């Protein structure tokens, strides 16, 4: 049986890039047209979101990833890494991911992975992700977007539609401010992004709140406001993905085990690949009988898989 130090040395020799390359080559959308709950019309339903993971408190990890609120009384106990991933909502498959130091924002990481937004997707995002520049970048490859925005974002009502939504437009903040004065920029029209706005109210723990969405789906007759409001709830599938990884794949401390930045990165890629493989197993089983993959327990599935690997250290990679 290999010792812990032998495994650590082997991981160090391997490095993290091979795992990153493996993720990029293997982890692709897995829903077929027959997969229940994976599609909105012709678009694959996707979501982006971020989370934070604790890493071992070593000097090199602290230097690479940093602490939340460094130097303040409420500084995090461990160095932390910020992760953003793009998930196929119907299958929980993570198909793109970026991570970095805690000081790097979710928006910056999303911009890095926006290459993965393709024209067969509709991408959902919470209000913390919106900025004019990021929305523009996210839509550049043809993906449809359905993003929540803050209530105080000034959006003009250009046309009301029968389904309760309205046509509006986005402009950079500085250009929008200038457009309200006599100093309207000459190139303002080139920066206008047409959107449709959907507003509705929900009750959460006795409190009523307004949900405000913007979408690139401009034709109200083809994508009714009510159906898009219902679709937005699928964004919570991304939250479940992070719970599956942090609660059921990691140990009870939810602390990554690696003591160097390179191995932290390797470990994160390995966790994402393992999570993806588990949901391939679930989706294949669900598709076989026409069931929704959400009906299958991730915990039970991963325990079944673990029970089938009876002696994980009984073999070593072949040498060439």
């Amino acid at each position: 049986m290999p010792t812990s130090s032998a495994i650590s040395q082997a991981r160090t020799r391997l490095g993290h890039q091979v795992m990153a390359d493996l993720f990029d080559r293997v982890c692709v959308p897995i829903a077929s047209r027959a997969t229940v709950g994976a599609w909105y019309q012709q678009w694959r339903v996707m979501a982006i979101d971020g989370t934070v993971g604790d890493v071992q408190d070593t000097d090199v990890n602290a230097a690479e990833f940093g602490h939340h609120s460094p130097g303040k009384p409420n500084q995090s106990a461990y160095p932390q890494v910020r992760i953003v991933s793009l998930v196929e909502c119907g299958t929980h498959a993570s198909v793109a991911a970026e991570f970095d130091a805690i000081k790097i924002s979710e928006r910056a990481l999303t911009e890095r992975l926006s290459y993965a937004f393709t024209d067969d997707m509709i991408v959902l995002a919470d209000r913390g992700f919106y900025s004019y520049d990021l929305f523009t970048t996210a839509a550049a490859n043809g993906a449809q977007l359905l993003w929540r925005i803050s209530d105080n974002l000034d959006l003009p009502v250009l046309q009301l539609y029968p389904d309760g939504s309205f046509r509006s437009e986005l402009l950079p903040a500085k250009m929008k401010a200038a457009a309200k004065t006599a100093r309207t920029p000459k190139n303002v029209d080139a920066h206008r992004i047409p959107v449709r706005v959907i507003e509705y109210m929900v009750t959460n723990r006795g409190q009523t709140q307004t949900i405000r969405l913007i979408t690139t789906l401009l034709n109200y007759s083809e994508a009714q406001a009510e159906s898009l409001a219902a679709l937005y709830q699928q964004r919570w599938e991304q939250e479940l993905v992070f719970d599956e990884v942090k609660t059921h794949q990691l140990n009870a401390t939810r602390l990554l085990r690696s003591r160097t930045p390179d191995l932290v990165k390797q470990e994160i890629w390995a966790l994402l690949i393992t999570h993806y493989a588990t949901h391939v197993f679930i989706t294949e089983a669900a598709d076989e009988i026409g069931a929704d993959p959400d009906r299958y327990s991730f915990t039970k599935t991963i325990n079944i898989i673990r029970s089938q690997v009876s002696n994980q250290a009984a073999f070593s990679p072949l040498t060439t």
Side-chain angles (χ1 to χ4, degrees), residues 129-276:
F129 285 87
Y130 173 76
S131 72
Y132 174 89
D133 290 339
L134 184 55
F135 194 86
T136 304
T137 300
N141 290 337
Q144 302 296 334
L145 306 181
L146 180 64
W147 289 20
R148 186 179 177 184
I149 56 172
S150 64
D151 296 342
N152 57 13
L153 183 65
D154 182 20
L155 292 175
V157 180
L158 302 179
Q159 182 181 357
L160 289 171
Y161 294 127
D163 67 343
S165 63
F166 64 88
R167 179 171 63 86
S168 188
E169 64 183 16
L170 305 176
L171 280 173
K174 291 182 179 179
M175 194 168 287
K176 184 187 297 185
K180 294 180 179 179
T181 70
R183 298 178 288 105
T184 302
K186 293 182 179 180
N187 62 341
V188 65
D189 289 340
H191 291 82
R192 299 183 192 275
I193 300 178
V195 294
R196 188 155 61 99
V197 183
I198 299 155
E199 295 180 330
Y200 57 98
M201 302 181 75
V202 298
T203 300
N204 181 22
R205 299 177 182 177
Q207 299 292 322
T208 300
Q209 63 178 140
T210 299
I211 305 295
R212 199 179 193 203
L213 308 177
I214 55 174
T215 182
T216 53
L217 295 173
L218 304 179
N219 191 332
Y220 73 89
S221 63
E222 294 180 358
Q224 290 279 316
E226 185 175 351
S227 69
L228 290 175
L231 175 65
Y232 181 72
Q233 305 310 306
Q234 291 295 312
R235 193 199 68 79
W236 290 101
E237 300 296 333
Q238 171 70 285
E239 302 280 355
L240 295 177
V241 168
F242 288 137
D243 177 73
E244 290 168 352
V245 174
K246 297 170 80 171
T247 303
H248 302 294
Q249 286 186 249
L250 293 176
N251 58 29
T253 66
R254 302 190 183 186
L255 181 66
L256 297 175
R257 69 180 68 183
S258 303
R259 302 183 64 81
T260 66
D262 188 68
L263 294 187
V264 167
K265 297 171 186 177
Q266 183 192 84
E267 185 175 355
I268 293 172
W269 289 124
L271 286 167
L272 293 174
I273 292 168
T274 303
H275 181 269
Y276 177 88

Side-chain angles (χ1 to χ4, degrees), residues 43-66:
W43 296 288
R44 194 183 297 271
V45 181
M46 313 292 291
I48 52 171
D49 205 356
T51 189
V52 170
D54 293 335
V55 304
Q56 295 290 331
D57 191 9
T58 63
D59 291 342
V60 288
N61 279 348
E64 177 80 10
F65 301 112

Side-chain angles (χ1 to χ4, degrees), residues 62-75:
E64 177 80 10
F65 301 112
H67 290 263
H68 180 70
S69 302
K72 298 180 180 179
N74 60 344
Q75 174 176 296

